[in-house]
Short mmCIF file of all heavy atoms in Angstrom, two decimals:
data_model
loop_
_atom_site.label_atom_id
_atom_site.label_comp_id
_atom_site.label_asym_id
_atom_site.label_seq_id
_atom_site.Cartn_x
_atom_site.Cartn_y
_atom_site.Cartn_z
N GLN O 100 -15.71 -5.90 -18.15
CA GLN O 100 -14.81 -6.89 -18.59
C GLN O 100 -14.56 -8.13 -17.57
O GLN O 100 -14.12 -9.17 -17.97
CB GLN O 100 -13.47 -6.35 -18.90
CG GLN O 100 -13.49 -5.21 -19.98
CD GLN O 100 -12.07 -4.72 -20.28
OE1 GLN O 100 -11.08 -5.32 -20.10
NE2 GLN O 100 -12.03 -3.45 -20.82
N TYR O 101 -14.89 -7.87 -16.37
CA TYR O 101 -14.57 -8.90 -15.38
C TYR O 101 -15.73 -9.28 -14.42
O TYR O 101 -15.60 -9.75 -13.31
CB TYR O 101 -13.40 -8.52 -14.46
CG TYR O 101 -12.13 -8.17 -15.24
CD1 TYR O 101 -11.79 -6.90 -15.64
CD2 TYR O 101 -11.42 -9.17 -15.79
CE1 TYR O 101 -10.61 -6.59 -16.38
CE2 TYR O 101 -10.25 -8.99 -16.64
CZ TYR O 101 -9.87 -7.69 -16.86
OH TYR O 101 -8.72 -7.37 -17.74
N ASN O 102 -16.99 -9.05 -14.95
CA ASN O 102 -18.19 -9.43 -14.21
C ASN O 102 -18.22 -8.86 -12.82
O ASN O 102 -18.69 -9.49 -11.84
CB ASN O 102 -18.29 -10.88 -14.16
CG ASN O 102 -18.45 -11.54 -15.58
OD1 ASN O 102 -19.23 -11.05 -16.29
ND2 ASN O 102 -17.78 -12.67 -15.83
N GLY O 103 -17.57 -7.66 -12.65
CA GLY O 103 -17.59 -7.04 -11.27
C GLY O 103 -16.48 -7.47 -10.42
O GLY O 103 -16.47 -6.97 -9.24
N ASN O 104 -15.62 -8.47 -10.79
CA ASN O 104 -14.58 -9.03 -9.93
C ASN O 104 -13.26 -8.32 -10.22
O ASN O 104 -13.02 -7.84 -11.34
CB ASN O 104 -14.55 -10.48 -10.24
CG ASN O 104 -15.73 -11.27 -9.97
OD1 ASN O 104 -16.35 -11.07 -8.77
ND2 ASN O 104 -16.17 -12.14 -10.83
N VAL O 105 -12.42 -8.41 -9.22
CA VAL O 105 -11.06 -7.83 -9.37
C VAL O 105 -10.16 -8.99 -9.85
O VAL O 105 -10.13 -10.06 -9.23
CB VAL O 105 -10.58 -7.35 -7.98
CG1 VAL O 105 -9.11 -6.82 -8.14
CG2 VAL O 105 -11.44 -6.16 -7.57
N PRO O 106 -9.46 -8.85 -11.00
CA PRO O 106 -8.62 -9.90 -11.53
C PRO O 106 -7.43 -10.20 -10.61
O PRO O 106 -6.91 -9.21 -9.84
CB PRO O 106 -8.19 -9.36 -12.83
CG PRO O 106 -8.27 -7.87 -12.76
CD PRO O 106 -9.50 -7.70 -11.79
N ASP O 107 -6.97 -11.43 -10.48
CA ASP O 107 -5.86 -11.79 -9.60
C ASP O 107 -4.58 -11.95 -10.39
O ASP O 107 -3.67 -12.84 -10.11
CB ASP O 107 -6.18 -13.05 -8.88
CG ASP O 107 -6.39 -14.30 -9.71
OD1 ASP O 107 -6.49 -14.11 -11.00
OD2 ASP O 107 -6.50 -15.41 -9.27
N ASP O 108 -4.39 -11.23 -11.43
CA ASP O 108 -3.16 -11.18 -12.25
C ASP O 108 -2.58 -9.82 -12.19
O ASP O 108 -3.16 -8.87 -12.54
CB ASP O 108 -3.50 -11.62 -13.77
CG ASP O 108 -2.39 -11.59 -14.72
OD1 ASP O 108 -1.76 -10.53 -14.96
OD2 ASP O 108 -2.06 -12.65 -15.09
N PHE O 109 -1.33 -9.74 -11.84
CA PHE O 109 -0.67 -8.45 -11.58
C PHE O 109 -0.57 -7.57 -12.90
O PHE O 109 -0.85 -6.47 -12.77
CB PHE O 109 0.86 -8.80 -11.12
CG PHE O 109 1.60 -7.55 -10.67
CD1 PHE O 109 1.46 -6.96 -9.49
CD2 PHE O 109 2.55 -6.96 -11.66
CE1 PHE O 109 2.17 -5.78 -9.16
CE2 PHE O 109 3.26 -5.86 -11.26
CZ PHE O 109 3.11 -5.24 -10.08
N GLU O 110 -0.22 -8.19 -13.96
CA GLU O 110 -0.15 -7.37 -15.23
C GLU O 110 -1.52 -6.91 -15.68
O GLU O 110 -1.59 -5.82 -16.25
CB GLU O 110 0.52 -8.26 -16.35
CG GLU O 110 1.95 -8.58 -16.02
CD GLU O 110 2.88 -7.43 -15.78
OE1 GLU O 110 2.66 -6.45 -16.45
OE2 GLU O 110 3.79 -7.61 -14.91
N VAL O 111 -2.56 -7.65 -15.45
CA VAL O 111 -3.84 -7.17 -15.72
C VAL O 111 -4.21 -6.11 -14.79
O VAL O 111 -4.94 -4.98 -15.24
CB VAL O 111 -4.89 -8.34 -15.58
CG1 VAL O 111 -6.33 -7.84 -15.84
CG2 VAL O 111 -4.64 -9.43 -16.71
N LEU O 112 -3.95 -6.20 -13.46
CA LEU O 112 -4.22 -5.10 -12.49
C LEU O 112 -3.68 -3.77 -12.98
O LEU O 112 -4.27 -2.74 -12.89
CB LEU O 112 -3.77 -5.49 -11.18
CG LEU O 112 -4.55 -6.50 -10.43
CD1 LEU O 112 -3.90 -7.08 -9.20
CD2 LEU O 112 -5.97 -6.09 -10.03
N LEU O 113 -2.39 -3.89 -13.50
CA LEU O 113 -1.69 -2.64 -13.89
C LEU O 113 -2.44 -1.84 -15.04
O LEU O 113 -2.19 -0.74 -15.26
CB LEU O 113 -0.26 -2.99 -14.37
CG LEU O 113 0.70 -3.33 -13.22
CD1 LEU O 113 2.07 -3.73 -13.78
CD2 LEU O 113 0.83 -2.17 -12.22
N LYS O 114 -3.29 -2.71 -15.81
CA LYS O 114 -4.00 -2.00 -16.95
C LYS O 114 -5.25 -1.30 -16.45
O LYS O 114 -5.83 -0.55 -17.23
CB LYS O 114 -4.28 -3.02 -17.96
CG LYS O 114 -3.08 -3.63 -18.64
CD LYS O 114 -3.37 -4.79 -19.57
CE LYS O 114 -2.11 -5.40 -20.18
NZ LYS O 114 -2.41 -6.52 -21.11
N LEU O 115 -5.71 -1.54 -15.17
CA LEU O 115 -6.84 -0.83 -14.69
C LEU O 115 -6.59 0.60 -14.54
O LEU O 115 -5.47 0.98 -14.06
CB LEU O 115 -7.29 -1.51 -13.44
CG LEU O 115 -7.74 -3.04 -13.45
CD1 LEU O 115 -8.02 -3.47 -12.04
CD2 LEU O 115 -9.01 -3.13 -14.33
N PRO O 116 -7.63 1.49 -14.82
CA PRO O 116 -7.38 2.96 -14.61
C PRO O 116 -7.03 3.26 -13.20
O PRO O 116 -7.63 2.82 -12.17
CB PRO O 116 -8.70 3.49 -15.00
CG PRO O 116 -9.30 2.55 -15.92
CD PRO O 116 -8.90 1.21 -15.41
N GLY O 117 -5.90 4.02 -12.97
CA GLY O 117 -5.51 4.52 -11.68
C GLY O 117 -4.74 3.50 -10.80
O GLY O 117 -4.45 3.80 -9.68
N VAL O 118 -4.45 2.38 -11.45
CA VAL O 118 -3.81 1.29 -10.63
C VAL O 118 -2.25 1.18 -11.12
O VAL O 118 -1.92 0.99 -12.30
CB VAL O 118 -4.45 -0.08 -10.84
CG1 VAL O 118 -3.61 -1.15 -10.09
CG2 VAL O 118 -5.81 -0.01 -10.30
N GLY O 119 -1.43 1.56 -10.13
CA GLY O 119 0.05 1.38 -10.38
C GLY O 119 0.62 0.15 -9.66
O GLY O 119 -0.13 -0.64 -9.17
N ARG O 120 1.90 0.06 -9.69
CA ARG O 120 2.56 -1.05 -9.04
C ARG O 120 2.24 -1.27 -7.66
O ARG O 120 2.07 -2.30 -7.12
CB ARG O 120 4.12 -1.05 -9.37
CG ARG O 120 4.49 -1.13 -10.78
CD ARG O 120 5.98 -1.23 -10.93
NE ARG O 120 6.36 -2.58 -10.43
CZ ARG O 120 6.44 -3.67 -11.16
NH1 ARG O 120 6.05 -3.61 -12.49
NH2 ARG O 120 6.92 -4.86 -10.78
N LYS O 121 2.26 -0.13 -6.92
CA LYS O 121 2.01 -0.24 -5.46
C LYS O 121 0.59 -0.76 -5.14
O LYS O 121 0.40 -1.66 -4.36
CB LYS O 121 2.12 1.17 -4.86
CG LYS O 121 1.93 1.21 -3.26
CD LYS O 121 2.09 2.57 -2.75
CE LYS O 121 0.76 3.40 -2.90
NZ LYS O 121 0.84 4.64 -2.14
N SER O 122 -0.42 -0.31 -5.90
CA SER O 122 -1.80 -0.69 -5.70
C SER O 122 -1.88 -2.11 -6.12
O SER O 122 -2.53 -3.00 -5.46
CB SER O 122 -2.68 0.15 -6.52
OG SER O 122 -2.65 1.54 -6.21
N ALA O 123 -1.29 -2.50 -7.22
CA ALA O 123 -1.43 -3.87 -7.73
C ALA O 123 -0.79 -4.83 -6.79
O ALA O 123 -1.31 -5.93 -6.47
CB ALA O 123 -0.81 -4.00 -9.11
N ASN O 124 0.39 -4.49 -6.26
CA ASN O 124 1.10 -5.34 -5.19
C ASN O 124 0.18 -5.50 -3.99
O ASN O 124 0.11 -6.58 -3.37
CB ASN O 124 2.41 -4.83 -4.84
CG ASN O 124 3.52 -5.34 -5.81
OD1 ASN O 124 3.74 -6.53 -5.81
ND2 ASN O 124 4.23 -4.48 -6.43
N LEU O 125 -0.41 -4.43 -3.51
CA LEU O 125 -1.19 -4.47 -2.34
C LEU O 125 -2.38 -5.42 -2.56
O LEU O 125 -2.71 -6.23 -1.75
CB LEU O 125 -1.77 -3.11 -1.97
CG LEU O 125 -2.68 -2.91 -0.69
CD1 LEU O 125 -1.70 -3.26 0.54
CD2 LEU O 125 -3.16 -1.51 -0.55
N ILE O 126 -3.06 -5.24 -3.67
CA ILE O 126 -4.15 -6.26 -3.98
C ILE O 126 -3.69 -7.75 -4.03
O ILE O 126 -4.27 -8.62 -3.50
CB ILE O 126 -4.77 -5.90 -5.37
CG1 ILE O 126 -5.53 -4.49 -5.27
CG2 ILE O 126 -5.76 -6.95 -5.83
CD1 ILE O 126 -6.80 -4.45 -4.48
N MET O 127 -2.58 -7.88 -4.68
CA MET O 127 -2.12 -9.27 -4.88
C MET O 127 -1.67 -9.92 -3.53
O MET O 127 -1.98 -11.02 -3.29
CB MET O 127 -0.79 -9.28 -5.73
CG MET O 127 -1.08 -9.02 -7.24
SD MET O 127 -2.26 -9.99 -8.11
CE MET O 127 -1.11 -11.48 -8.18
N GLY O 128 -1.06 -9.13 -2.63
CA GLY O 128 -0.67 -9.61 -1.40
C GLY O 128 -1.83 -9.77 -0.42
O GLY O 128 -2.05 -10.82 0.24
N ASP O 129 -2.67 -8.65 -0.22
CA ASP O 129 -3.69 -8.72 0.82
C ASP O 129 -4.98 -9.51 0.39
O ASP O 129 -5.63 -10.07 1.23
CB ASP O 129 -4.11 -7.27 1.14
CG ASP O 129 -3.05 -6.60 2.20
OD1 ASP O 129 -1.89 -6.80 1.94
OD2 ASP O 129 -3.56 -6.06 3.10
N VAL O 130 -5.42 -9.35 -0.84
CA VAL O 130 -6.57 -9.99 -1.30
C VAL O 130 -6.44 -11.43 -1.71
O VAL O 130 -7.11 -12.35 -1.31
CB VAL O 130 -7.22 -9.13 -2.44
CG1 VAL O 130 -8.42 -9.96 -3.00
CG2 VAL O 130 -7.65 -7.81 -2.08
N PHE O 131 -5.27 -11.65 -2.48
CA PHE O 131 -5.11 -12.95 -3.06
C PHE O 131 -3.95 -13.82 -2.43
O PHE O 131 -3.74 -14.91 -2.79
CB PHE O 131 -4.80 -12.83 -4.55
CG PHE O 131 -5.93 -12.15 -5.32
CD1 PHE O 131 -5.76 -10.90 -5.94
CD2 PHE O 131 -7.14 -12.76 -5.36
CE1 PHE O 131 -6.81 -10.31 -6.62
CE2 PHE O 131 -8.23 -12.10 -6.08
CZ PHE O 131 -8.04 -10.94 -6.71
N GLY O 132 -3.35 -13.21 -1.37
CA GLY O 132 -2.32 -13.98 -0.62
C GLY O 132 -1.14 -14.42 -1.51
O GLY O 132 -0.43 -15.50 -1.23
N LYS O 133 -0.80 -13.62 -2.53
CA LYS O 133 0.32 -13.98 -3.44
C LYS O 133 1.55 -13.04 -3.14
O LYS O 133 1.37 -12.08 -2.43
CB LYS O 133 -0.10 -13.72 -4.86
CG LYS O 133 -1.14 -14.77 -5.34
CD LYS O 133 -1.47 -14.65 -6.84
CE LYS O 133 -2.56 -15.66 -7.19
NZ LYS O 133 -2.79 -15.64 -8.66
N PRO O 134 2.78 -13.49 -3.49
CA PRO O 134 3.83 -12.66 -3.22
C PRO O 134 3.73 -11.20 -3.72
O PRO O 134 3.22 -11.01 -4.76
CB PRO O 134 5.08 -13.35 -3.95
CG PRO O 134 4.57 -14.73 -4.03
CD PRO O 134 3.11 -14.69 -4.18
N ALA O 135 4.10 -10.28 -2.84
CA ALA O 135 3.91 -8.91 -3.18
C ALA O 135 4.94 -8.03 -2.34
O ALA O 135 5.27 -8.30 -1.25
CB ALA O 135 2.49 -8.43 -2.90
N ILE O 136 5.38 -6.95 -2.89
CA ILE O 136 6.18 -5.98 -2.20
C ILE O 136 5.58 -4.58 -2.55
O ILE O 136 5.57 -4.20 -3.73
CB ILE O 136 7.60 -6.08 -2.61
CG1 ILE O 136 8.28 -7.33 -2.04
CG2 ILE O 136 8.41 -4.86 -2.07
CD1 ILE O 136 9.73 -7.59 -2.48
N VAL O 137 5.08 -3.89 -1.44
CA VAL O 137 4.38 -2.57 -1.69
C VAL O 137 5.46 -1.51 -1.24
O VAL O 137 5.68 -1.40 -0.12
CB VAL O 137 3.23 -2.52 -0.86
CG1 VAL O 137 2.52 -1.13 -1.06
CG2 VAL O 137 2.24 -3.70 -1.11
N THR O 138 5.89 -0.84 -2.26
CA THR O 138 6.85 0.15 -2.04
C THR O 138 6.23 1.60 -1.83
O THR O 138 6.31 2.49 -2.76
CB THR O 138 8.02 0.25 -3.15
OG1 THR O 138 7.33 0.29 -4.38
CG2 THR O 138 8.80 -0.97 -3.07
N ASP O 139 5.71 1.84 -0.67
CA ASP O 139 5.20 3.14 -0.33
C ASP O 139 6.20 4.00 0.23
O ASP O 139 7.35 3.58 0.27
CB ASP O 139 3.91 3.05 0.59
CG ASP O 139 4.25 2.44 1.98
OD1 ASP O 139 5.46 2.08 2.08
OD2 ASP O 139 3.41 2.31 2.79
N THR O 140 5.85 5.16 0.70
CA THR O 140 6.94 6.08 1.19
C THR O 140 7.65 5.54 2.49
O THR O 140 8.89 5.72 2.64
CB THR O 140 6.26 7.39 1.56
OG1 THR O 140 5.12 7.34 2.43
CG2 THR O 140 5.81 8.10 0.25
N HIS O 141 6.91 4.85 3.28
CA HIS O 141 7.52 4.33 4.52
C HIS O 141 8.52 3.20 4.09
O HIS O 141 9.64 3.22 4.56
CB HIS O 141 6.51 3.64 5.49
CG HIS O 141 5.60 4.61 6.09
ND1 HIS O 141 5.99 5.47 7.09
CD2 HIS O 141 4.23 4.86 5.93
CE1 HIS O 141 5.06 6.25 7.51
NE2 HIS O 141 3.95 5.80 6.79
N CYS O 142 8.14 2.34 3.26
CA CYS O 142 9.06 1.25 2.72
C CYS O 142 10.29 1.89 2.13
O CYS O 142 11.43 1.48 2.48
CB CYS O 142 8.39 0.44 1.73
SG CYS O 142 9.45 -0.81 0.90
#
Side-chain angles (χ1 to χ4, degrees):
Q100 298 182 27
Y101 300 103
N102 297 315
N104 298 312
V105 176
D107 63 349
D108 181 289
F109 184 80
E110 297 301 325
V111 173
L112 286 170
L113 287 179
K114 295 177 182 177
L115 295 175
V118 176
R120 296 189 68 86
K121 182 180 81 170
S122 303
N124 270 301
L125 186 63
I126 293 290
M127 294 300 288
D129 278 47
V130 174
F131 299 116
K133 296 187 177 182
I136 290 179
V137 181
T138 50
D139 65 358
T140 55
H141 289 292
C142 173

